[in-house]
Amino acid sequence: MGYFDHNFDNSRNVDQTESFGMANRSRLVTSLSGIIALAFTPLVMLPCPMAWGQTRSIDQQLAIPLDNLRDRKARNRADFFLEQSELAKQSGNLNDAIAYLSQAGEIYQQIGDFEGLGKTYNSLGQTYAKLGRYQDAERALRRGLGAARSQQSFQPQIYSINNIGILLLQTRNLKAAQEAFTEALTISRTIKDDDGEGLSLNNLGLVAAQGGNYPEAIKWYEAALVLRRRSRDKLGETNIRNNLGDAYLAARQEKDALYSYRIAQILAEKVDNVFNQIRAIKGIALTHIATGKNRQAVKALKEYLALAQEQNNRREELVALKLFAQLYQDTGNWLEARAFYEKAIAVAHALGDIQEETLLISDLAQIIYVTP
């Protein structure tokens, strides 16, 4: 799995300081709070199911009767623009995707195809969010919600409201996000939609976690987990297991955190979901660091780093290298710490992350100062 320089594996030296003080361990985990916090917000907005195309292809929309040939031709053109927008997004051309979606939306609006309009606005919202254009994203998502309400389509409403809540969560508007997820939860329970209910419960957990109320987050996640397991949604369960692990770790319930992360890792491997697999392994490493189990931490970090490199995920590679450097620094292994800081600096530079590179250089300077 990718490369890993085994010369950096100095687990014997780390084990010699297995009982380093709780103060040092706390400092390390606290300094990595930003890394842990990232796992609380895997803010990926979801395509709406059924009416908005998660389980229906664009071609299947053609089964919807229209009044005349002109409208059918217009919808075919709108569907084409929708297809082109997806291709543009896949190739990373988000501005081109927005242009295609805008053209599709105009046509759907003209012919009164609210199903196509809802799908278009939902996709627009996701695309704007990726560009950091949050006001435009919220405006598009709310228009999509309006299209769903005009049709009295309750399931698309659930997913639209959750997406709006995710956007609000991403902009740290926790109160409004909680209100949105609560509304989605109410609709889900009214129409007995277990998937929508599980999603809404999980997102309420994200709100509580971002607000630092980890016991409440755990309650929401556990309730969501029951529904995900009932529906045998392995991918959904994997995500919630990781969220639970994050909350348990933040609440200093390390034993529960480790169990949750390990289950998440197993499930992620079964469904071949690398994103959650990386999250789980990172969580395992952080839990071992928090409890001072350095041998196990090094083993998990090696696996984490190798997987990140195998996937060419430079951001996660940077996190893994930084974790290694800080672990070795806190255990007094200056040479290994220095080597990992230098590798982390190189990756930060390659990513163009000037702020992170500057911080790492500062940390390295402290290592050089104390190195014989």
Side-chain angles (χ1 to χ4, degrees):
M1 292 192 346
Y3 79 89
F4 181 84
D5 188 348
H6 291 281
N7 291 327
F8 289 131
D9 180 15
N10 199 356
S11 57
R12 180 170 56 87
N13 289 343
V14 174
D15 290 337
Q16 290 173 351
T17 56
E18 188 75 17
S19 59
F20 73 97
M22 178 61 75
N24 282 340
R25 294 200 297 272
S26 297
R27 187 200 66 78
L28 176 56
V29 174
T30 300
S31 70
L32 298 173
S33 59
I35 296 172
I36 299 172
L38 290 176
F40 287 132
T41 55
L43 303 182
V44 179
M45 288 184 284
L46 301 174
C48 295
M50 297 181 67
W52 291 2
Q54 184 174 353
T55 57
R56 297 183 55 175
S57 68
I58 292 173
D59 291 338
Q60 286 175 308
Q61 292 182 32
L62 300 179
I64 304 171
L66 292 177
D67 293 337
N68 53 56
L69 180 61
R70 185 186 63 182
D71 284 351
R72 287 198 295 272
K73 288 182 177 179
R75 187 177 61 190
N76 287 342
R77 194 164 74 255
D79 290 343
F80 171 77
F81 287 137
L82 205 57
E83 290 172 346
Q84 292 303 305
S85 74
E86 290 302 313
L87 293 174
K89 283 196 290 186
Q90 290 172 15
S91 60
N93 299 321
L94 299 185
N95 288 318
D96 289 346
I98 289 172
Y100 284 124
L101 287 167
S102 298
Q103 293 178 78
E106 289 178 6
I107 298 172
Y108 287 132
Q109 182 75 53
Q110 290 170 3
I111 63 177
D113 185 345
F114 290 103
E115 179 176 335
L117 192 61
K119 179 177 175 65
T120 300
Y121 280 136
N122 190 60
S123 185
L124 258 177
Q126 295 175 39
T127 309
Y128 279 133
K130 288 180 180 178
L131 289 170
R133 296 171 59 178
Y134 298 121
Q135 289 185 342
D136 290 331
E138 184 176 354
R139 188 178 301 114
L141 290 172
R142 290 194 182 279
R143 286 178 176 175
L145 176 59
R149 284 177 170 163
S150 70
Q151 288 190 301
Q152 294 186 335
S153 301
F154 293 106
Q155 193 173 52
Q157 287 184 49
I158 294 167
Y159 285 82
S160 289
I161 295 169
N162 269 290
N163 277 345
I164 291 169
I166 288 293
L167 188 65
L168 293 167
L169 190 61
Q170 192 160 349
T171 55
R172 298 293 300 177
N173 192 340
L174 301 188
K175 182 179 179 182
Q178 184 172 22
E179 291 173 354
F181 296 141
T182 301
E183 180 183 359
L185 179 63
T186 300
I187 297 173
S188 301
R189 287 174 170 171
T190 300
I191 66 171
K192 294 180 171 55
D193 183 344
D194 284 354
D195 288 337
E197 183 177 353
L199 174 64
S200 304
L201 288 167
N202 177 70
N203 287 339
L204 282 166
L206 291 177
V207 174
Q210 278 209 6
N213 190 342
Y214 303 115
E216 182 179 347
I218 290 169
K219 291 179 181 178
W220 288 120
Y221 291 144
E222 288 178 342
L225 183 61
V226 172
L227 292 169
R228 288 302 189 217
R229 296 187 68 184
R230 181 191 301 169
S231 63
R232 298 185 179 181
D233 179 359
K234 297 299 183 184
L235 181 57
E237 182 181 352
T238 303
N239 185 58
I240 294 173
R241 291 283 188 183
N242 271 324
N243 288 345
L244 262 173
D246 297 335
Y248 282 135
L249 181 57
R252 305 306 300 266
Q253 297 175 226
E254 290 89 354
K255 183 177 179 180
D256 291 327
L258 192 59
Y259 174 80
S260 194
Y261 285 133
R262 283 174 172 163
I263 295 296
Q265 183 183 4
I266 293 170
L267 291 172
E269 291 172 352
K270 284 184 177 180
V271 298
D272 195 25
N273 185 267
V274 179
F275 172 77
N276 272 301
Q277 190 177 348
I278 288 176
R279 278 190 67 194
I281 298 170
K282 176 168 58 176
I284 290 170
L286 288 169
T287 305
H288 287 317
I289 290 171
T291 54
K293 296 179 179 178
N294 304 319
R295 185 198 298 271
Q296 294 92 323
V298 167
K299 181 179 178 182
L301 285 175
K302 285 172 61 178
E303 188 177 0
Y304 172 33
L305 178 59
L307 184 57
Q309 291 170 339
E310 182 184 75
Q311 298 297 315
N312 196 28
N313 189 329
R314 302 309 300 276
R315 182 60 61 180
E316 292 292 348
E317 180 183 359
L318 174 59
V319 174
L321 291 169
K322 184 176 178 180
L323 283 168
F324 257 124
Q326 293 184 329
L327 176 60
Y328 282 123
Q329 180 181 357
D330 272 32
T331 57
N333 191 331
W334 311 118
L335 292 177
E336 294 290 359
R338 179 173 178 171
F340 276 102
Y341 272 125
E342 289 172 350
K343 283 185 171 288
I345 289 168
V347 175
H349 181 77
L351 288 169
D353 191 337
I354 298 174
Q355 182 179 5
E356 186 64 34
E357 183 180 0
T358 302
L359 292 172
L360 288 167
I361 290 172
S362 176
D363 290 337
L364 177 59
Q366 297 179 41
I367 297 296
I368 294 174
Y369 179 76
V370 299
T371 302

